[in-house]
Amino acid sequence: MCANIFYFLFPLPARIGFVTQEDVLFPQLTVEETLVFSALLRLPSNMSKQQKYAKVDTTIKELGLERCRHTKIAGGYLKGISGGERKRTCIGYEILVDPSLLLLDEPTSGLDSSSANKLLLTLQGLAKAGRTIITTIHQPSSRIFHMFDKLLLISEGYPVYYGKAKETMEYFSSLRFTPQIPMNPAEFLLDLATGQVNDISVPTDIFQDQESSDPSKIVIEYLQLKYKSLLEPKEKEENHRVASTPEQLQLAIQVKMEWSSSWLDQFVILSRRTYRARRKDYFDKLRLVQALGIALLLGLLWWKSSTNTEAGLRDQVGLAFYICIFWTSSCIFAAVYVFPFEKYYLIKESKADMYRLSVYYACSTLCDMVATLFYPTFFMLILYFMAGFKRAVASFFLTLLTILLIAITSQGAGEMFGAAIMSVKRAGTAASLILMLFLLTGGYYVQHIPKFMRWLKYLSFMYYGFRLLLKVQYSGEQLYDCGSNGGCRPLQSSPTFDIVNLKGGLKEVWILLAMALIFRLLAYLCLRVRIGRKN
């Protein structure tokens, strides 16, 4: 647990690698894609692209990942690589940059004994190749225990043994602590560290003249005392002999001060990765079927509607407002979960100085924006002519651009809420409340809002989007209701447009563009605060 806290609070130096207990990898990418993007972003700029690919290939072979190199990481309910392969991929992710020091937090957690043994053999090979590896192990088997070079045993925050792993049993036997039954050395040591000596013979004299009645506490205090008197002096003497820090360790603790690639290079690489990681969401069959189904349903309900009567006009205006609601809600909820879902990936990669935060945000919002524009376009191509809107090329494209502008603004609002809250559950709740507020103040359900609540509508982009949609679709001079007793009347005189002047529209366009920009700027600033980055 301490290792996780260290990792998330402090940026790691460039020459130190850290593998967390939980595997933080994009499930949509393959093993090879994961390592390739890591290499392109982290390896120095003086290496060519061919050299970086060769480095990835060497790492895959070194970790025994050739069989699954083209398999997706997946996880959870998605079929992908095994737990051991996933852990080795995490290790490969870190050793690509040739760290002098590699830290691992319980790498065998959740693995069966065979996979854990294979993983430790891999780490042992890496250590023999010249790397320093420090790891915490959860309940190691006896085979794994005998792979260790050095061992640090801690009880209640204080060391009780530090030295060669193969000499531990001999040391504790010299203190008259021996197992009474055949026992895994690791289990024996863990029992001593917790003071549980039921199956361990202990020197009886340590319980004499002791005020405490708790035998486990007496055992722990005795072991701590023996460490201070027997092992600690030897350790200090050895440290005095090595006065200067080795050159490779000095390199390991130097903090990285420069980026390995330029802003534009990072943008190109990260754009490719963002697209590959999210393409399943971008080209989701369910979203396509939803857009098609809703468009057909609305087209049939409003089949060739007209504005010849007051009732027909009200129906068509109601359709316009529903279109605003549909794409506002769809785009907000598609964007609000992006940053909360990717929070752990972003924290890990940002602390490792893989890329600038500004690059990540630009790639994320631009890739999502391109996908966001596809579905409303497909939707309007079906609905527009079925519903009987104004049959003019200019009107169609202006209506489409208005819907796309609403979608882009909604996406920016969703990103802002997601970045500000960074919690899947709370971000969705906040988005629902804000959406309800925007819907009620959008100018259709309640047109005459009380003065003390009127300011709310000026914060609602649905209010401006709905007004702009009415202005591009209808003209104030257009005649309607010619079959009534009073004869033809201009649309502007309709009660439906009492508070909307159908002239103009540029004001709403500029306001929506400004909102889209401000939402994204605020989203980026919230990300900086949440992630703790300044670039």
Side-chain angles (χ1 to χ4, degrees):
M1 181 62 185
C2 293
N4 278 326
I5 294 172
F6 168 79
Y7 184 85
F8 287 116
L9 291 183
F10 303 100
L12 286 177
R15 302 283 293 177
I16 297 180
F18 183 74
V19 180
T20 58
Q21 181 178 351
E22 297 178 359
D23 304 325
V24 184
L25 299 169
F26 281 96
Q28 300 87 352
L29 300 180
T30 65
V31 170
E32 186 175 47
E33 287 174 342
T34 298
L35 297 181
V36 164
F37 285 121
S38 177
L40 294 175
L41 288 167
R42 302 180 73 185
L43 291 177
S45 56
N46 56 10
M47 290 181 66
S48 66
K49 187 176 289 188
Q50 289 73 22
Q51 289 175 317
K52 293 179 180 180
Y53 278 106
K55 180 71 174 175
V56 170
D57 194 58
T58 303
T59 302
I60 288 175
K61 291 177 180 177
E62 187 178 10
L63 295 173
L65 294 169
E66 298 100 320
R67 187 180 64 85
C68 62
R69 67 188 303 160
H70 300 300
T71 307
K72 288 186 177 182
I73 303 295
Y77 297 103
L78 300 176
K79 186 178 180 181
I81 60 178
S82 67
E85 290 168 339
R86 190 178 296 111
K87 186 62 67 176
R88 278 180 278 155
T89 303
C90 290
I91 295 172
Y93 192 91
E94 296 297 332
I95 66 172
L96 274 172
V97 294
D98 289 324
S100 300
L101 178 62
L102 182 62
L103 306 172
L104 300 100
D105 180 19
E106 296 192 13
T108 59
S109 292
L111 302 183
D112 58 77
S113 59
S114 177
S115 299
N117 187 60
K118 188 182 295 185
L119 178 62
L120 263 291
L121 284 172
T122 301
L123 292 176
Q124 193 177 53
L126 295 175
K128 289 178 180 179
R131 295 184 178 90
T132 300
I133 297 178
I134 300 176
T135 180
T136 58
I137 296 291
H138 181 66
Q139 292 182 340
S141 66
S142 55
R143 292 167 62 192
I144 289 177
F145 178 81
H146 287 101
M147 294 181 193
F148 298 158
D149 297 314
K150 286 192 174 182
L151 179 71
L152 172 63
L153 183 64
I154 296 176
S155 177
E156 296 185 352
Y158 295 94
V160 294
Y161 178 81
Y162 175 69
K164 294 181 179 179
K166 61 184 179 182
E167 296 177 358
T168 50
M169 299 301 290
E170 182 182 343
Y171 168 75
F172 286 108
S173 294
S174 68
L175 300 180
R176 294 174 294 167
F177 288 89
T178 55
Q180 295 176 336
I181 60 174
M183 189 179 294
N184 179 351
E187 293 180 1
F188 170 71
L189 296 177
L190 289 173
D191 285 346
L192 286 181
T194 55
Q196 304 298 320
V197 291
N198 296 330
D199 298 316
I200 300 173
S201 63
V202 300
T204 56
D205 56 338
I206 67 173
F207 298 105
Q208 296 175 2
D209 301 325
Q210 291 289 337
E211 297 180 1
S212 176
S213 59
D214 186 0
S216 62
K217 186 175 182 181
I218 295 172
V219 170
I220 292 172
E221 289 177 351
Y222 178 77
L223 293 175
Q224 291 172 350
L225 182 64
K226 285 297 181 180
Y227 172 82
K228 290 180 180 179
S229 61
L230 298 177
L231 296 181
E232 194 171 53
K234 294 181 181 179
E235 184 184 345
K236 288 182 179 179
E237 185 180 346
E238 185 179 344
N239 289 338
H240 281 305
R241 260 189 255 120
V242 188
S244 59
T245 307
E247 183 181 351
Q248 64 173 4
L249 192 56
Q250 288 180 357
L251 288 173
I253 60 176
Q254 289 178 358
V255 177
K256 182 179 178 183
M257 298 303 294
E258 296 181 358
W259 298 102
S260 58
S261 53
S262 66
W263 197 98
L264 185 59
D265 289 338
Q266 289 182 0
F267 178 82
V268 173
I269 297 167
L270 213 56
S271 294
R272 288 170 53 199
R273 194 188 73 170
T274 302
Y275 169 74
R276 292 192 184 185
R278 301 181 188 176
R279 60 185 170 186
K280 188 175 180 181
D281 296 326
Y282 293 160
F283 303 105
D284 186 7
K285 292 181 181 179
L286 187 60
R287 288 183 66 185
L288 191 63
V289 170
Q290 181 192 45
L292 174 63
I294 296 295
L296 290 175
L297 178 62
L298 295 179
L300 293 173
L301 288 174
W302 273 269
W303 177 258
K304 293 184 178 180
S305 61
S306 68
T307 57
N308 294 332
T309 62
E310 187 69 44
L313 178 61
R314 279 198 305 270
D315 286 348
Q316 207 171 86
V317 170
L319 173 61
F321 189 69
Y322 180 82
I323 294 172
C324 291
I325 294 174
F326 179 71
W327 287 113
T328 297
S329 59
S330 296
C331 295
I332 280 184
F333 284 105
V336 77
Y337 298 117
V338 171
F339 299 133
F341 274 131
E342 295 190 355
K343 175 174 64 175
Y344 296 109
Y345 310 113
L346 181 56
I347 289 175
K348 173 188 173 183
E349 296 175 344
S350 182
K351 296 304 180 185
D353 286 336
M354 283 184 63
Y355 46 75
R356 299 165 177 86
L357 184 62
S358 56
V359 175
Y360 168 82
Y361 181 72
C363 293
S364 176
T365 192
L366 288 176
C367 288
D368 287 355
M369 190 182 298
V370 172
T372 298
L373 300 180
F374 169 73
Y375 292 100
T377 304
F378 176 72
F379 177 88
M380 290 305 297
L381 283 172
I382 298 172
L383 174 62
Y384 190 88
F385 298 102
M386 290 181 67
F389 284 124
K390 189 184 294 184
R391 294 182 175 273
V393 174
S395 297
F396 170 75
F397 282 106
L398 287 174
T399 302
L400 177 60
L401 289 174
T402 300
I403 299 301
L404 296 180
L405 186 55
I406 293 171
I408 291 172
T409 309
S410 304
Q411 181 201 11
E415 289 180 353
M416 182 185 68
F417 299 138
I421 297 173
M422 276 294 189
S423 166
V424 174
K425 185 176 181 180
R426 286 182 291 175
T429 302
S432 299
L433 293 174
I434 297 298
L435 180 63
M436 184 63 66
L437 177 64
F438 288 172
L439 187 151
L440 294 176
T441 57
Y444 181 76
Y445 291 118
V446 184
Q447 294 188 0
H448 302 283
I449 302 175
K451 290 184 178 180
F452 64 90
M453 293 288 287
R454 197 168 296 171
W455 58 274
L456 285 173
K457 69 180 182 181
Y458 299 112
L459 301 177
S460 169
F461 55 84
M462 192 181 292
Y463 169 77
Y464 297 104
F466 178 53
R467 291 168 69 91
L468 180 60
L469 190 58
L470 295 180
K471 290 183 178 185
V472 300
Q473 188 59 222
Y474 306 109
S475 170
E477 291 80 19
Q478 178 183 342
L479 300 177
Y480 85 111
D481 207 16
C482 293
S484 64
N485 295 331
C488 298
R489 294 182 295 154
L491 281 178
Q492 188 64 68
S493 65
S494 169
T496 306
F497 303 121
D498 274 351
I499 58 173
V500 180
N501 188 345
L502 294 177
K503 293 181 179 179
L506 282 178
K507 175 184 174 183
E508 285 78 7
V509 170
W510 288 116
I511 290 175
L512 287 173
L513 288 174
M515 283 185 167
L517 183 62
I518 291 171
F519 287 150
R520 283 169 171 78
L521 179 60
L522 291 175
Y524 173 65
L525 294 176
C526 289
L527 271 185
R528 279 181 52 178
V529 172
R530 289 290 185 175
I531 305 302
R533 300 297 292 173
K534 297 181 179 179
N535 43 49

